[in-house]
Amino acid sequence: MKYRIIPVTPFQQNCTLLWCEQTRAAAVVDPGGDLDRIKAAVAEEGVKLEKILLTHAHIDHAGGTAALSHELGLEIEGPGKDDEFWIEGLPQQSQMFGFPAVDVFSPDRWLDDDDQVSFGEVTLDVVHCPGHTPGHVIFYHQPTALALVGDVLFQGSIGRTDFPRGDHDTLIRSIKEKLLPLGDEIDFIPGHGPMSTFGHERQTNPFIAGRFG
Ligand SMILES: [Zn+2]
């Protein structure tokens, strides 16, 4: 699997294009907006976009979903069902943050623990990591030790929990009990900012370091 990060929206959200090297089938994770830039990346890489994967339904991650799905006939997989209220609230989110108007959508598939998503010959494991939003999921590609974690964990920080149905203790538990046990060596693409590894964050992230045992 190959990937290309495409920062989108005024929040510089790390939308990521993933593709299968064998078949060129591709998926886009969290197309929050700036669809022209996403489509340009698809064309430049010469891949065939097949589906949209969502970690959670905040506007900067999910805002371009309805338009892109409609235009290209893409299936939508994710986030977890508990983020449905955020999807229904996308029009209000777009107003609040000064984004272009967006439509709501209905995912073709809600995701939960132990689910898998696939495109071409690539399979990603799904892990439910609530706390930032209740239905937040992350995607993990075991063969290349790469995870896409949305707004659960950042280099040196963690996701905000001051939005409706966010919860700090739940987020810390998701990170400690579900994310980090995947392995220190795993590289991750966060929803914002630079990449890091789970091991680096386990040792240095002030929000989680020293909170084991
Ligand atoms: Zn978010």
Side-chain angles (χ1 to χ4, degrees), residues 56 58 61 132 151:
H56 67 297
H58 281 160
H61 292 255
H132 176 69
D151 288 351

Side-chain angles (χ1 to χ4, degrees), residues 4-17 28-35 37-38 52-65 68 99 132 136-137 139 148-154 189-194:
R4 175 166 163 180
I5 298 170
I6 310 156
V8 296
T9 83
F11 295 168
Q12 291 291 289
Q13 191 273 119
N14 286 331
C15 170
T16 304
L17 180 65
V28 62
V29 180
D30 289 354
D34 294 333
L35 300 185
R37 299 186 55 212
I38 296 171
I52 294 169
L53 304 175
L54 297 175
T55 62
H56 67 297
H58 281 160
I59 184 79
D60 53 326
H61 292 255
T65 301
L68 191 64
F99 278 56
H132 176 69
H136 199 300
V137 296
F139 301 103
L148 294 97
V149 306
D151 288 351
V152 173
L153 180 67
F154 304 112
I189 301 172
H192 306 266

Side-chain angles (χ1 to χ4, degrees), residues 153-158 188 200-210:
L153 180 67
F154 304 112
Q155 184 195 80
S157 188
I158 60 172
F188 71 91
H200 181 77
E201 298 312 306
R202 188 175 58 75
Q203 292 168 354
T204 65
N205 189 309
F207 293 91
I208 49 177

Side-chain angles (χ1 to χ4, degrees), residues 31 90 177 205:
L90 279 170
E177 296 177 4
N205 189 309

Side-chain angles (χ1 to χ4, degrees), residues 139-142 144-149 179-189 195-200:
F139 301 103
Y140 170 47
H141 187 239
Q142 196 271 333
T144 57
L146 178 75
L148 294 97
V149 306
L179 213 51
L180 301 187
L182 293 174
D184 277 356
E185 73 287 1
I186 293 169
D187 290 305
F188 71 91
I189 301 172
M195 292 178 65
S196 181
T197 67
F198 288 158
H200 181 77

Side-chain angles (χ1 to χ4, degrees), residues 122-174:
V122 171
T123 299
L124 306 177
D125 294 328
V126 175
V127 183
H128 180 215
C129 289
H132 176 69
T133 69
H136 199 300
V137 296
I138 69 101
F139 301 103
Y140 170 47
H141 187 239
Q142 196 271 333
T144 57
L146 178 75
L148 294 97
V149 306
D151 288 351
V152 173
L153 180 67
F154 304 112
Q155 184 195 80
S157 188
I158 60 172
R160 288 174 61 170
T161 52
D162 57 334
F163 294 117
R165 295 186 62 191
D167 185 78
H168 179 80
D169 290 345
T170 301
L171 180 64
I172 295 295
R173 204 157 49 240
S174 288

